[in-house]
Amino acid sequence: MIAILKQSASDEAVSHIVSWIEKKGLKTDVSRGENETIIGLVGDTTKIDPFLLESMDVVERVQRVSEPFKRANRKFHPEDSVIDCGHGVKIGGDQFQVIAGPCSVEGENLIRIARRVKAAGATMLRGGAYKPRTSPYAYQGMGPAGLDLLCEASAELDMPIVTEIMDPRDVQVFLDKKIDVMQIGARNAQNFPLLKEVGKTKTPILLKRGMSGTIDELLMAAEYIMSEGNDNVILCERGIRTFETRTRNTFDLNAVPVLHHLSHLPVVADPSHATGYTRYVEPMALAATACGANGLEIEVHDDPSHAWSDGAQALTPDQFDDTMRRIRAIREVVCQEPVQE
Ligand code: PEP
Ligand code: MN
């Protein structure tokens, strides 16, 4: 972190700020130029509130020179992380996976949908047993019985399951049932007690970006999980809320290469929640594949008009078959060796 002081800063003001910083246990490096004075802060800058420093009379502005996320940062871990999701399925680096299944676990149809998505080439099964709904009167999910249905499907098809956890008090249930991947949904992207609690496990976490979350906030949420000891974090771009109303959210595909640049963690993209409409899911799944996502999460339902949640964005199993064929074609193009200039 550096503090750039106003041109008018007197020697006395500079030494006052220097001693304020040093009293907080940091070292300073003062460089006096003709037009400005810059104080470099060396040490644990989390002890300094940059806004407080910037509010001081003689301070022009404060700039961070290193990102506040460390464990998720590619600078400290240059190679891509590859995360083992169980059942022989790994994600990250050149390992690309498709997570598919219904929005909610509803009952017996889960296994039918699961068989179809597996046959189409999905490698992980999704389904929500605990549903974060805007209305408390909307369907809230089957709870533990839904987890059991997922576990049965996982055992029959030898596929890892991905399912959302909303409450830190449920972590033990998810561990007891050996859930392969716990999803943290967009609405819980900054639920810090939940992030910390799942951070105490070793279970892979699919961490979704908050609907108004910046890329840095997503990385700091990952940092919460990793700082508790769980490095198995998969980031997920699922669209953000903007002024656009023609789609459910705005799919920020910029986030895919930006996250790859900043972090070593795998990045999954979710074109279902990002667009909200079946007709847009395939084109945006292909776009996300083309821009380098390590995986996709896609909602599939065998009877979308009767789905208990998110029917409007579900692909039918037949549509998913076609989409998977095109995803494979895009992957073939993307995975070719770069053209030598
Ligand atoms: C979901 O995956 O069904 C879900 C609720 O997603 P999000 O948290 O991205 O809205
Ligand atoms: Mn959904």
Side-chain angles (χ1 to χ4, degrees):
M1 191 184 284
I2 57 172
I4 298 146
L5 306 192
K6 288 181 184 153
Q7 220 180 344
S8 55
S10 64
D11 286 348
E12 200 191 343
V14 174
S15 50
H16 175 74
I17 292 191
V18 164
S19 72
W20 182 81
I21 295 167
E22 290 182 349
K23 273 197 197 122
K24 296 197 179 278
L26 281 90
K27 295 202 170 76
T28 53
D29 179 28
V30 181
S31 119
R32 264 203 173 279
E34 224 163 80
N35 297 316
E36 58 191 6
T37 297
I38 296 175
I39 305 179
L41 283 71
V42 186
D44 181 6
T45 52
T46 59
K47 293 188 180 135
I48 300 283
D49 176 354
F51 298 105
L52 186 59
L53 185 56
E54 202 163 69
S55 73
M56 293 182 181
D57 274 354
V58 291
V59 178
E60 180 75 44
R61 62 182 194 279
V62 172
Q63 261 176 23
R64 283 195 182 281
V65 286
S66 67
E67 292 92 353
F69 53 97
K70 305 280 178 235
R71 291 176 168 83
N73 200 321
R74 193 180 277 284
K75 275 188 202 143
F76 307 114
H77 189 299
E79 308 80 38
D80 290 331
S81 279
V82 176
I83 293 173
D84 189 343
C85 299
H87 299 259
V89 175
K90 294 189 175 152
I91 188 165
D94 57 8
Q95 313 256 23
F96 178 86
Q97 309 297 347
V98 176
I99 307 162
C103 178
S104 299
V105 178
E106 301 169 356
E108 290 309 313
N109 58 352
L110 177 71
I111 188 67
R112 287 200 305 273
I113 300 169
R115 288 182 191 132
R116 288 293 309 268
V117 298
K118 171 147 183 169
T123 44
M124 299 167 86
L125 175 66
R126 68 146 285 145
Y130 295 85
K131 294 306 300 174
R133 307 305 300 280
T134 302
S135 163
Y137 310 116
Y139 175 62
Q140 303 286 308
M142 288 181 78
L147 296 181
D148 290 338
L149 287 172
L150 284 163
C151 292
E152 284 166 26
S154 163
E156 178 187 316
L157 298 168
D158 188 19
M159 255 177 136
I161 49 180
V162 179
T163 191
E164 178 159 355
I165 180 158
M166 296 201 298
D167 190 326
R169 291 167 296 187
D170 290 334
V171 168
Q172 197 53 48
V173 177
F174 278 60
L175 292 179
D176 291 345
K177 295 194 187 286
K178 300 193 168 49
I179 299 301
D180 301 288
V181 180
M182 297 195 268
Q183 175 169 310
I184 304 279
R187 291 155 192 79
N188 277 309
Q190 285 192 314
N191 180 339
F192 302 120
L194 178 61
L195 297 173
K196 285 195 215 167
E197 209 54 35
V198 299
K200 291 183 188 135
T201 75
K202 292 286 175 211
T203 304
I205 307 299
L206 181 70
L207 175 63
K208 290 193 154 195
R209 180 177 180 180
M211 34 183 120
S212 309
T214 63
I215 289 172
D216 283 70
E217 282 163 346
L218 173 61
L219 289 167
M220 290 309 287
E223 198 72 16
Y224 260 93
I225 298 169
M226 298 172 90
S227 66
E228 294 291 331
N230 187 353
D231 289 334
N232 300 317
V233 179
I234 303 160
L235 305 170
C236 180
E237 163 59 39
R238 48 76 72 201
I240 48 175
R241 192 170 270 184
T242 68
F243 49 79
E244 184 51 71
T245 55
R246 286 284 178 178
T247 49
R248 183 175 181 182
N249 289 294
T250 295
F251 205 7
D252 179 16
L253 285 183
N254 289 344
V256 175
V258 172
L259 287 169
H260 282 317
H261 173 66
L262 295 173
S263 176
H264 52 91
L265 297 172
V267 180
V268 160
D270 170 351
S272 304
H273 293 88
T275 62
Y277 296 96
T278 301
R279 67 174 71 87
Y280 307 132
V281 171
E282 179 182 294
M284 297 319 291
L286 301 182
T289 308
C291 73
N294 300 109
L296 299 171
E297 183 171 38
I298 300 180
E299 288 187 344
V300 178
H301 197 284
D302 58 352
D303 184 6
S305 60
H306 291 103
W308 294 4
S309 58
D310 286 353
Q313 66 194 32
L315 299 188
T316 63
D318 286 344
Q319 289 169 325
F320 183 65
D321 272 338
D322 288 340
T323 301
M324 283 301 296
R325 257 193 292 283
R326 295 190 179 105
I327 289 168
R328 278 191 289 272
I330 297 278
R331 280 291 295 169
E332 264 178 44
V333 176
V334 171
C335 297
Q336 278 173 2
E337 291 298 310
V339 179
Q340 296 294 321
E341 299 268 319

